Amino acid sequence: MSFPRALRERRIRRHLSQLDLALRAGTTQRHLSFIESGRSVPGRNMVVRLAESLELPLRERNELLLAAGYAPAYPESALDDPALAPVRTAIDHILRGHLPYPALVVDRGGALIAANTAFDLITEGAAPELVGPGTNVYRLALHPDGLAPRIRNLDEWARHVLARLGHLEDLRAELSAYVPQLAPSAGLLGFAVPLRLRSSYGELRLMTTVTTFATAVDVTLAELKLEAFLPADAATAEALSAAAGPTGVAAAADQPPGNV
């Protein structure tokens, strides 16, 4: 894709006028119009300013630079790179610190990077090929051999999962075929949609939170997501504590860091 077209599509996707983007990037609407029409070739600094003003993810900022003929500005390190050792330690600490509640870390495509021991209660009964590092957690959630048979509110949860896959069209198409046609949402009461999951400790009602590294300047780090499950009621909190056992949290705290 040419740079003018790539820039214009991203601007329109964010519902910004040329004037809006020009003001954000510290330039004029006339200059931006010339850039989008191909009549003016922007310098590297201008491309970076436009990408920042559009609040693009780091991967898309690199793609915009490449489209303009410039080298990417943001590195994309392997997670086992020594430079990311503090990140691995921090992730491991967070996962263990969240016990006895489940937590996991995934990459941009939903591949599992790491999880704490409490996540085993979520995955119990799932086919082995759907579980473990490198497998896709979205596929695990909706596959008939994964969590789907145990999810009491599958329609609601499937809608929640599929809504997160806008950038993964092939995966979204695959997972959509696993669930029945979703009826239009009639609106929901309460403050959050819980995951209602049957388990060997009774029904679990879980809320989720997603955490990212807000100041990341490495593509790999910026795309990591830590998803934590929290009990939505007292019965679920008790079940998770019982599953961990009386010494579960203390034993996890004694594990050395660096297990991600």
Side-chain angles (χ1 to χ4, degrees):
M1 184 182 297
S2 69
F3 174 77
R5 178 182 171 189
L7 176 62
R8 184 167 56 253
E9 287 190 357
R10 284 161 174 78
R11 175 179 62 77
I12 293 173
R13 191 191 311 158
R14 281 159 178 75
H15 307 289
L16 292 173
S17 67
Q18 286 185 342
L19 178 59
D20 292 332
L21 180 56
L23 291 173
R24 290 187 181 190
T27 187
T28 65
Q29 180 179 359
R30 177 183 174 84
H31 187 202
L32 182 58
S33 175
F34 277 24
I35 291 173
E36 287 195 356
S37 67
R39 295 170 64 187
S40 178
V41 178
R44 190 174 191 275
N45 288 341
M46 175 56 72
V47 177
V48 171
R49 278 161 46 198
L50 289 169
E52 290 175 346
S53 300
L54 287 167
E55 299 179 349
L56 298 178
L58 299 190
R59 182 178 297 278
E60 285 196 51
R61 296 184 192 189
N62 279 346
E63 291 172 354
L64 204 60
L65 281 162
L66 286 169
Y70 299 110
Y74 305 95
E76 184 174 356
S77 307
L79 193 56
D80 58 0
D81 190 302
L84 294 187
V87 174
R88 297 193 299 273
T89 299
I91 289 173
D92 187 80
H93 177 75
I94 294 170
L95 291 176
R96 289 184 290 113
H98 196 66
L99 290 167
Y101 306 147
L104 66 154
V105 176
V106 298
D107 67 12
R108 176 175 181 268
L112 180 67
I113 302 299
N116 64 14
T117 55
F119 190 59
D120 293 344
L121 187 60
I122 303 291
T123 63
E124 63 179 7
E129 63 270 18
L130 296 176
V131 180
T135 58
N136 190 281
V137 297
Y138 303 128
R139 183 175 290 112
L140 169 68
L142 300 185
H143 196 284
D145 295 329
L147 307 186
R150 296 168 47 220
I151 298 177
R152 298 288 301 275
N153 58 335
L154 182 58
D155 273 13
E156 289 177 343
W157 196 252
R159 184 179 289 108
H160 166 72
V161 171
L162 294 174
R164 300 170 64 176
L165 302 181
H167 64 296
L168 301 169
E169 295 181 3
D170 291 344
L171 181 62
R172 181 186 172 92
E174 175 196 337
L175 301 190
S176 296
Y178 293 148
V179 296
Q181 184 172 358
L182 301 178
S185 175
L188 298 166
L189 299 177
F191 54 85
V193 177
L195 168 63
R196 298 177 55 197
L197 186 69
R198 287 190 292 268
S199 79
S200 55
Y201 285 81
E203 180 179 319
L204 306 176
R205 295 175 60 89
L206 299 160
M207 302 179 295
T208 63
T209 64
V210 175
T211 302
T212 60
F213 287 87
T215 59
V217 291
D218 184 283
V219 175
T220 299
L221 181 57
E223 292 179 345
L224 291 181
K225 292 182 175 61
L226 189 147
E227 185 154 2
F229 292 83
L230 297 166
D233 55 32
T236 299
E238 292 173 1
L240 293 172
S241 295
T247 60
V249 176
D254 291 336
Q255 294 177 3
N259 295 326
V260 175

PDB file of all heavy atoms in Angstrom, residues 90 120 150:
ATOM      1  N   ALA A  90       9.169  -9.253  35.809  1.00  0.00           N
ATOM      2  CA  ALA A  90       7.974  -8.523  36.243  1.00  0.00           C
ATOM      3  C   ALA A  90       6.711  -9.327  35.959  1.00  0.00           C
ATOM      4  O   ALA A  90       5.803  -9.403  36.799  1.00  0.00           O
ATOM      5  CB  ALA A  90       7.912  -7.172  35.539  1.00  0.00           C
ATOM      6  N   ASP A 120      -4.994 -23.517  35.674  1.00  0.00           N
ATOM      7  CA  ASP A 120      -5.312 -24.926  35.436  1.00  0.00           C
ATOM      8  C   ASP A 120      -6.779 -25.225  35.712  1.00  0.00           C
ATOM      9  O   ASP A 120      -7.370 -26.103  35.079  1.00  0.00           O
ATOM     10  CB  ASP A 120      -4.437 -25.835  36.312  1.00  0.00           C
ATOM     11  CG  ASP A 120      -2.970 -25.788  35.917  1.00  0.00           C
ATOM     12  OD1 ASP A 120      -2.674 -25.308  34.806  1.00  0.00           O
ATOM     13  OD2 ASP A 120      -2.128 -26.227  36.722  1.00  0.00           O
ATOM     14  N   ARG A 150     -18.306 -25.994  28.882  1.00  0.00           N
ATOM     15  CA  ARG A 150     -18.424 -25.687  30.313  1.00  0.00           C
ATOM     16  C   ARG A 150     -18.874 -24.256  30.571  1.00  0.00           C
ATOM     17  O   ARG A 150     -19.095 -23.877  31.719  1.00  0.00           O
ATOM     18  CB  ARG A 150     -17.077 -25.929  31.008  1.00  0.00           C
ATOM     19  CG  ARG A 150     -16.623 -27.373  30.978  1.00  0.00           C
ATOM     20  CD  ARG A 150     -15.171 -27.510  31.401  1.00  0.00           C
ATOM     21  NE  ARG A 150     -14.895 -26.765  32.597  1.00  0.00           N
ATOM     22  CZ  ARG A 150     -13.773 -26.062  32.806  1.00  0.00           C
ATOM     23  NH1 ARG A 150     -12.840 -25.996  31.865  1.00  0.00           N
ATOM     24  NH2 ARG A 150     -13.595 -25.413  33.934  1.00  0.00           N
TER      25      ARG A 150
END
